[in-house]
Amino acid sequence: MTATNGLAGRRAWAGLAVLLLPTLVLSMDMGVLFFAVPFISTDLRPSGTQQLWIMDIYSFLLAGLLIPMGALGDRIGRRKLLMLGAAGFAAASLLAARSDGAAQLIAARALLGIAGSTLMPSTIALIRTLFTDPKQRRGAMAAWTGALTGGATLGPVVGGLLLDHFWWGSVFLVSVPVMALLLLLAPLLLPEYRAPRTGGFDLLGSGLALAAVLPTVYGVKTLAVDGLSALSAVALAVGLVMGALFVWRQRTAAYPLIDLDLFRNGTYSGAITVNTIAMFAMMGFTLFTSQYLQLVKGMSPLTAALWALLPSVGVGAAVGVSGALAGRVRPGHQMAGGFLVGAVGFALMTQVGPHSPLALILTAAGILAAGTVGTMTLTADLVVSAAPAERAGAAAATSETATELGSSLGIALLGAAGAAVYKSQLASSLPAGLPTEAARVAHDSLGGAVTVAAGLPAATAHQLLAAAGSAFTSGLHVAASVGLVCLLGAGLLASRLMRHLPAAGAETAGTAQAEHQAQHRAQQAEESVTEERVTEEPVTMELSA
């Protein structure tokens, strides 16, 4: 698997390909399901509340269980947890595809979230195990990031194509052969790693982690849909209280899920912080791009998804350039440069109008994604590199949890800001004589305006759509401006917090070898403890005799 010089061989790179399989499936999930919702609604007839739970229960449990599952993988074995999760994900996918009622589908989606929470931290931690050489590990993390972003882009396209030819359950069956292939190849190509002397598993801490993340994510999503309300405020308050209790538990537990001392490491905490800010900005703006293509430009969802593939070309190039620069440029400087590129994309977004050429928003989206995703490769590598090998699973899970929260906050807060601007501007530009109910629906959202316009005379409809499109792009400009400030701030933070880190090429030649030897010593220590227990047993028996 790894040569004596610490460099990974062909088998390790083949193992990386296996790890990219679940990464791709997980990132495709929400995009694939998006197209299936209308068909599910027609077939299963869920209530409005049930439909929301079909969409959200997966992400709620995924985010809430990442930290416990990352810590569990460190204890029982990362490959074992990966394979258990893959088997569970495939079984839950089959259950979802064959659901004959909304309640059964919600249960299946919940199981998918639980299984999915085992996969992401396991893949990142196993990359740390496979690749001890820093340069090779950065290349592996670049591939992992590419699979993550590529899956998110491909999800809507795959979902649209499947539903053109098959029933809605087919969107869940995509993952079954992928997980079957993972189960077949993982024992052959992936090493097992179980941290020595990890102690017991903190069940109370796991419950507190779930109790902290679930209401927080729920509160943020409720805030995004309904605005500030008593329900969202209570949910966020409960999440914060549970979060404080979780931190207290981790400080006092004999065997905590995460080592809070890691956050004193500027590299670890800095990487998580700047990555969370970047995801806040990028994911918070994604909804504006898709709405612009579909509702302002009048594209079908599948057509919009196909056009959205173009910016991914820039993402692929950025991941490659990021890996090439890692040996020449300090990580802090490289991350600052990436965020600056992303900020240029946001600046271009502020120039997008209702009648702008399609090339403008696609170019802006490509530049934004290229700059931001290029830095994600570095932050992911810095997180697992800064943590001890035996804590890599929990460290990666903490980073992924922060990413989920940053994404949810971005969608909620940037969406709320854009909606406020839309409503404010449209209120003064609605066509005269519009019926009260129609005006209310159009005032709520751009989608409502498009629906209302379909039932109006041509002249009035044109006037309404023009006013709504202008109001929406004004909101888009505000969200882009906030994103621009966020990325500039993330760039400044990265250059400051990571200024002590050398370029990959400047690292000593013995770094990878030292880490490889450290892992070897840890394994020898574990074997030594086992031998001591074996030799102590007859002595104890002899004394008792």
Side-chain angles (χ1 to χ4, degrees), residues 70-278:
L72 182 63
D74 290 337
R75 286 164 170 76
I76 70 170
R78 293 164 185 167
R79 187 182 68 184
K80 178 187 291 185
L81 184 67
L82 178 72
M83 295 180 66
L84 288 173
F89 202 93
S93 297
L94 290 170
L95 179 63
R98 294 298 180 184
S99 296
D100 55 9
Q104 184 179 347
L105 182 56
I106 292 170
R109 291 282 293 164
L111 293 175
L112 284 170
I114 295 171
S117 67
T118 69
L119 300 175
M120 197 67 78
S122 296
T123 57
I124 301 176
L126 283 169
I127 288 176
R128 168 70 183 269
T129 304
L130 284 169
F131 300 95
T132 57
D133 176 72
K135 184 176 181 180
Q136 286 189 319
R137 187 170 58 241
R138 285 190 180 92
M141 290 307 302
W144 181 86
T145 304
L148 190 67
T149 55
T153 305
L154 286 173
V157 177
V158 172
L161 292 175
L162 283 173
L163 291 167
D164 275 349
H165 298 87
F166 306 102
W167 95 113
W168 60 263
S170 62
V171 301
F172 295 107
L173 296 181
V174 173
S175 63
V176 175
V178 175
M179 295 303 173
L181 186 61
L182 170 63
L183 291 171
L184 178 66
L185 296 177
L188 303 176
L189 297 173
L190 296 178
E192 181 58 284
Y193 182 91
R194 182 169 53 251
R197 301 187 182 93
T198 54
F201 184 69
D202 185 10
L203 288 175
L204 177 57
S206 299
L208 288 173
L210 188 62
V213 175
L214 277 182
T216 301
V217 175
Y218 177 77
V220 168
K221 292 205 172 201
T222 303
L223 180 67
V225 176
D226 302 325
L228 184 61
S229 63
L231 180 61
S232 61
V234 169
L236 290 172
V238 171
L240 291 175
V241 170
M242 291 296 107
L245 290 175
F246 173 73
V247 171
W248 168 80
R249 173 64 183 176
Q250 297 312 290
R251 290 189 181 280
T252 57
Y255 302 105
L257 297 176
I258 57 176
D259 183 3
L260 294 181
D261 288 338
L262 273 176
F263 289 94
R264 297 178 182 176
N265 183 324
T267 300
Y268 179 80
S269 58
I272 289 179
T273 300
V274 297
N275 191 59
T276 302
I277 294 172

Side-chain angles (χ1 to χ4, degrees), residues 286-312:
T286 300
L287 188 61
F288 287 91
T289 307
S290 61
Q291 284 185 303
Y292 181 87
L293 293 177
Q294 293 180 48
L295 301 177
V296 177
K297 291 299 186 183
M299 296 182 183
S300 68
L302 181 57
T303 301
L306 289 170
W307 277 109
L309 290 176
L310 289 180
S312 64

Side-chain angles (χ1 to χ4, degrees), residues 225 291 415-416 418-431 434-453 456 464-465 467-469 471-472:
V225 176
Q291 284 185 303
V421 172
Y422 170 84
K423 292 177 180 180
S424 175
Q425 182 169 322
L426 188 64
S428 59
S429 56
L430 285 170
L434 198 65
T436 303
E437 180 62 19
R440 185 192 64 78
V441 173
H443 183 261
D444 282 344
S445 68
L446 177 60
V450 171
T451 301
V452 167
L456 296 176
L464 174 60
L465 290 177
F472 176 80

Side-chain angles (χ1 to χ4, degrees), residues 16-84:
L16 173 64
V18 173
L19 292 176
L20 297 185
L21 295 175
T23 305
L24 189 66
V25 167
L26 286 180
S27 59
M28 287 174 58
D29 179 83
M30 289 305 294
V32 168
L33 183 62
F34 174 77
F35 280 90
V37 169
F39 298 91
I40 292 172
S41 298
T42 301
D43 191 12
L44 302 185
R45 299 187 181 279
S47 66
T49 301
Q50 286 178 321
Q51 183 165 310
L52 287 175
W53 279 112
I54 288 171
M55 293 292 294
D56 291 338
I57 190 65
Y58 170 84
S59 58
F60 286 175
L61 289 174
L62 178 70
L65 291 172
L66 280 171
I67 292 177
M69 291 302 183
L72 182 63
D74 290 337
R75 286 164 170 76
I76 70 170
R78 293 164 185 167
R79 187 182 68 184
K80 178 187 291 185
L81 184 67
L82 178 72
M83 295 180 66
L84 288 173

